[in-house]
């Protein structure tokens, strides 16, 4: 009996085992998001301890996104070639070890080098976790499942903000990085024991079909021990399916460029907040806990906004939903430029950052689901890795753009950069052709 794994998975039901798989994959991204944001919350303490201006930290802040840019491209290729599971596990250990080693950093060079190494792992984890989530679940639940996985990035960032608000004032910045490295190492060992490979990846390798039979049975399917498998997607694929060129062929060119642009500007804006919001607010008179808590509520807004946005996408499709969220982000970003940024207005600023974080993070999380929808499974890992790699250029530039804005125009120019970036995101999303329509998720 020959089984088309794509059809089986597309029409399957949700099971308890599937919930476990999505849950542990999501937790990996929580840790990814937490480790990624630790330095941004620690910069004010480092400035004070090392007696350096904030401009000295532009390059160390940029090193992690630079590593993520490389890791995203390599990780996507590695996942397509050797398996999503192997790539994700390797990525976890790759970002955890350098993060723990930051406990011993004593100068800018070592700080930047270790963040570069950690970035390689942080960048590789995301495209493979997204691809795994999209390939485990039924088609009708795929956009929402991917969104739930990626929403764990702001969950991790929220944890980083709230933990730093309590740990740094009491114990300093070093224990923050030590814990941020050791916890993912332990989790990676657990994940090695329980996480299976992508069923679609296994279907393309006959020597691993017994493993696929066991996995499909655990997912609730009745499969004969001697079954054979194929992985033909419902949409026809071209002969260039396993090459980078297909991403820029006539079939995908417009969407690839539009997604690259959307990821670039959206990640630039998000990292303006994650890397420098605490620093910007401390420069305006806020203390470490107040500034970190506002960043934490930015991410809480992002979590709620992403989940609500995913639910709306299931009803209205991705185009209308994402354009509306982008418009809200633009309006709130420019509105905050007119406000006095001072601790006496802390609650007002917190509420506005909550709304702005809701909209911006919701757009970013939805972009992962949109990219997973645009590309078929045989190039999904590489497609996600490519658009993320371009997006990471925005990450790299964020620290330079943000510090330039703060030094030249203060907090008003800093928040204006948010609005300008999200305007370009709006235009990019409007350009994408293959949006998730209602009939794909109803």
């Amino acid at each position: 009996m020959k089984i088309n794994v794509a059809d089986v998975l597309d029409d399957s039901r949700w099971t308890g085992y599937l919930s476990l798989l999505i849950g542990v994959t999501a937790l990996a991204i929580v840790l990814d998001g937490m480790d990624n944001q630790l330095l941004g919350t620690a910069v004010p303490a480092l400035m004070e301890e090392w007696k350096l201006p904030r401009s000295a930290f532009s390059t160390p802040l940029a090193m992690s996104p630079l590593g993520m840019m490389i890791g995203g491209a390599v990780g996507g290729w590695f996942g397509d070639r050797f398996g999503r599971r192997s790539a994700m596990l390797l990525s976890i250990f790759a970002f955890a070890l350098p993060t723990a080693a930051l406990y011993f950093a004593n100068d800018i060079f070592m700080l930047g080098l270790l963040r570069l190494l950690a970035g390689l792992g942080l960048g590789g984890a995301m495209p493979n976790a997204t691809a795994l989530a999209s390939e485990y679940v039924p088609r009708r639940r795929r956009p929402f499942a991917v969104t739930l996985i990626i929403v764990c990035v702001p969950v991790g960032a929220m944890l980083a903000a709230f933990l730093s608000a309590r740990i740094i004032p009491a114990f300093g910045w070093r224990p923050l990085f030590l814990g941020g490295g050791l916890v993912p190492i332990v989790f990676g060992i657990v994940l090695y024991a329980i996480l299976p490979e992508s069923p679609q990846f296994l279907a393309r390798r006959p020597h691993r079909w017994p493993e696929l039979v066991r996995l499909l049975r655990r997912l609730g399917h009745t499969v004969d021990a001697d079954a054979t498998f194929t992985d033909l997607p419902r949409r026809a694929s071209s002969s260039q399916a396993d090459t980078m060129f297909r991403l820029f062929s006539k079939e995908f060119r417009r969407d690839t460029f539009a997604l690259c642009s959307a990821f670039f500007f959206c990640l630039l804006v998000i990292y303006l907040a994650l890397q420098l919001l605490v620093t910007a607010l401390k420069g305006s008179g806020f203390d470490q806990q107040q500034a970190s808590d506002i960043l934490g509520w930015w991410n809480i807004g992002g979590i709620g906004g992403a989940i609500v946005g995913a639910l709306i996408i299931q009803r209205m499709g991705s185009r209308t939903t994402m354009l509306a969220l982008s418009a809200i982000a633009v309006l709130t970003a420019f509105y905050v430029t007119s406000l006095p940024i001072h601790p006496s207005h802390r609650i007002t600023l917190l509420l506005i950052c909550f709304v702005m974080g809701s909209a911006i993070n919701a757009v970013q999380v939805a972009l992962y689901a949109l990219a997973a929808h645009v590309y078929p499974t045989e190039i999904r890992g590489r497609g996600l890795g490519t658009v993320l790699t371009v997006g990471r250029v925005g990450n790299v530039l964020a620290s330079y753009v943000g510090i330039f804005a703060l030094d030249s125009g203060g907090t008003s120019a800093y928040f204006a950069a948010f609005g300008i970036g999200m305007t370009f995101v709006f235009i990019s999303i409007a350009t994408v052709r293959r949006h998730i329509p209602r009939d794909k998720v109803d």
Side-chain angles (χ1 to χ4, degrees):
M1 177 176 65
K2 199 172 191 67
I3 297 175
N4 186 338
V5 173
D7 286 344
V8 169
L9 294 173
D10 281 352
D11 298 326
S12 62
R13 60 186 178 86
W14 197 276
T15 65
Y17 180 61
L18 184 54
S19 296
L20 172 65
L21 297 184
I22 298 300
V24 295
T25 306
L27 186 54
I29 300 305
V30 169
L31 297 174
D32 177 290
M34 183 182 71
D35 277 26
N36 194 15
Q37 309 315 322
L38 292 179
L39 181 57
T41 63
V43 164
L46 286 161
M47 290 170 58
E48 182 177 350
E49 181 178 319
W50 291 356
K51 309 300 181 187
L52 293 171
R54 65 188 173 200
S55 59
F57 293 89
S58 296
T59 297
L61 284 168
M63 286 297 98
S64 179
L66 178 60
M68 292 170 74
M69 181 172 66
I70 300 169
V74 175
W77 170 82
F78 191 95
D80 286 342
R81 184 72 180 271
F82 300 104
R84 323 283 193 214
R85 173 184 179 273
S86 299
M88 194 169 78
L89 289 171
L90 180 62
S91 297
I92 289 172
F93 290 110
F95 73 70
L97 291 169
T99 297
L102 280 167
Y103 180 88
F104 303 100
N106 287 306
D107 56 50
I108 286 290
F109 175 79
M110 184 59 65
L111 182 69
L113 176 61
L114 289 173
R115 289 309 292 167
L116 176 65
L117 295 175
L120 296 173
L122 292 167
M126 184 63 66
N128 287 291
T130 306
L132 269 176
S134 68
E135 292 171 8
Y136 285 146
V137 302
R139 175 174 55 90
R140 64 187 179 277
R141 301 285 187 91
R142 192 165 295 151
F144 188 59
V146 172
T147 300
L148 285 177
I149 292 294
I150 306 304
V151 78
C152 291
V153 174
V155 172
M158 175 198 70
L159 289 175
F162 287 139
L163 287 172
S164 67
R166 277 78 189 164
I167 292 175
I168 291 177
F171 306 104
W173 59 270
R174 294 181 190 275
L176 190 68
F177 289 102
L178 183 62
L182 294 180
V183 171
I185 290 172
V186 173
F187 178 74
I189 295 171
V190 174
L191 205 63
Y192 176 82
I194 64 176
L195 186 70
E197 186 53 84
S198 157
Q200 294 177 325
F201 178 85
L202 295 176
R204 297 194 295 272
R205 286 153 180 82
H207 67 282
R208 299 187 68 175
W209 284 353
E211 182 181 346
L212 178 57
V213 170
R214 293 191 296 271
L215 174 57
L216 291 175
R217 287 175 176 174
R218 294 201 68 181
L219 289 170
H221 302 286
T222 302
V223 183
D224 293 338
D226 59 350
T228 59
F229 299 93
T230 184
D231 181 35
L232 297 175
R234 294 185 175 186
R235 289 180 295 185
S237 60
S238 73
S239 59
Q240 299 180 8
D242 195 42
T243 71
M244 197 62 185
F245 296 107
R246 189 175 176 198
L247 298 178
F248 299 95
S249 66
K250 184 178 180 181
E251 181 182 9
F252 291 105
R253 184 185 305 126
R254 174 173 164 175
D255 286 349
T256 295
F257 281 120
L259 285 169
C260 285
S261 175
F263 270 93
F264 174 90
F265 286 105
C266 200
L267 285 170
L268 186 149
V269 171
I270 285 177
Y271 274 75
L272 284 174
L274 297 179
Q275 292 183 336
L276 291 168
L277 182 58
V278 173
T279 302
L281 294 179
K282 284 208 70 177
S284 297
F286 293 78
D287 63 30
Q288 176 75 46
Q289 183 168 339
Q290 291 172 332
S292 295
D293 282 346
I294 290 175
L295 177 59
W297 280 97
W298 160 286
N299 285 296
I300 289 176
I303 297 164
I307 294 173
V308 171
L311 292 171
I312 297 173
I313 285 174
Q314 290 193 95
R315 295 288 179 264
M316 300 181 62
S318 61
R319 184 184 296 276
T320 300
T321 305
M322 295 176 72
L323 289 176
L325 289 166
S326 298
I328 292 171
V330 171
L331 293 174
T332 54
F334 282 119
Y335 174 69
V336 79
T337 63
S338 66
L339 298 176
I341 308 299
H342 188 269
S344 61
H345 299 91
R346 180 175 63 89
I347 300 301
T348 300
L349 182 61
L350 186 150
L351 292 174
I352 293 172
C353 284
F354 175 85
V355 174
M356 186 163 41
S358 298
I360 295 173
N361 279 284
V363 171
Q364 178 59 43
V365 170
L367 279 172
Y368 290 101
L370 178 59
H373 167 78
V374 166
Y375 299 115
T377 185
E378 65 270 15
I379 60 170
R380 187 171 292 138
R382 197 167 302 179
L384 285 163
T386 297
V387 297
L388 273 170
T389 298
V390 176
R392 298 303 181 199
V393 178
N395 290 20
V396 173
L397 295 178
S399 62
Y400 297 102
V401 171
I403 289 177
F404 173 79
L406 285 169
D407 289 344
S408 60
T411 52
S412 292
Y414 170 70
F415 282 109
F418 287 51
I420 294 169
M422 290 308 297
T423 299
F424 283 105
V425 172
F426 182 96
I427 295 169
S428 302
I429 291 171
T431 305
V432 173
R433 291 186 302 180
R434 290 178 178 82
H435 273 275
I436 302 169
R438 298 180 190 182
D439 62 350
K440 291 289 184 183
V441 292
D442 283 345

